[in-house]
Amino acid sequence: MTEQRGAAHVVMGTTPRSLPVGTFADFNGNRCSVQMSSLANLEAIWLGVDDASPKVLHSDAKNLGVDTDKTFGWVEYPIPPEVSLTTRMHLSREQVAALLPILHRFVDTGSF
C-alpha cells in the first residue's frame, strides 16, 4: 500500500464536554474527526469533515452574489450563520458494524 499524500495520523483528545475525539486530515487536507456521541440512550459516534467549506467556481461566483477578483478555480461561498450544514455522520454501533466489512475490504484490496 502506498500513501500519496502522507501517512494517516489521528490525534486523540477530548471535547470540552470530556468526550473522546480523534482529529485527522482527509486525503484532501480537510479537517475531520471521529467523536463519541453524548446520546444517553444509544452508543454512537460522529464521523466526518468538521467544516463543509462551501465553494463555487469563479465563473459562477458573480451570478451567486459572491464578489471576487479570482479568474480561475474555486471561490469560498459564504453561508449565513443562520444556515446549518450537516458534515458529520451520526452512526450507531450497528451502522459502524455494517460499514466495517467494506472498509476492511478496501484496506486489504484497494477496492470494495
Side-chain angles (χ1 to χ4, degrees), residues 55-74:
K55 296 175 180 55
V56 297
L57 281 173
H58 76 283
S59 57
D60 296 323
K62 185 175 182 179
N63 291 338
L64 294 170
V66 178
D67 187 29
T68 183
D69 293 331
K70 285 188 86 170
T71 57
F72 64 93
W74 294 94

Side-chain angles (χ1 to χ4, degrees), residues 42-106:
L42 180 71
E43 293 170 320
I45 61 169
W46 290 99
L47 174 65
V49 178
D50 291 343
D51 183 0
S53 302
K55 296 175 180 55
V56 297
L57 281 173
H58 76 283
S59 57
D60 296 323
K62 185 175 182 179
N63 291 338
L64 294 170
V66 178
D67 187 29
T68 183
D69 293 331
K70 285 188 86 170
T71 57
F72 64 93
W74 294 94
V75 176
E76 297 289 329
Y77 185 75
I79 301 294
E82 298 83 10
V83 175
S84 174
L85 299 174
T86 301
T87 59
R88 297 196 302 166
M89 301 170 282
H90 203 190
L91 302 171
S92 69
R93 290 180 71 187
E94 291 78 17
Q95 291 169 313
V96 171
L99 290 171
L100 283 176
I102 296 168
L103 297 173
H104 282 293
R105 264 192 308 280
F106 179 70

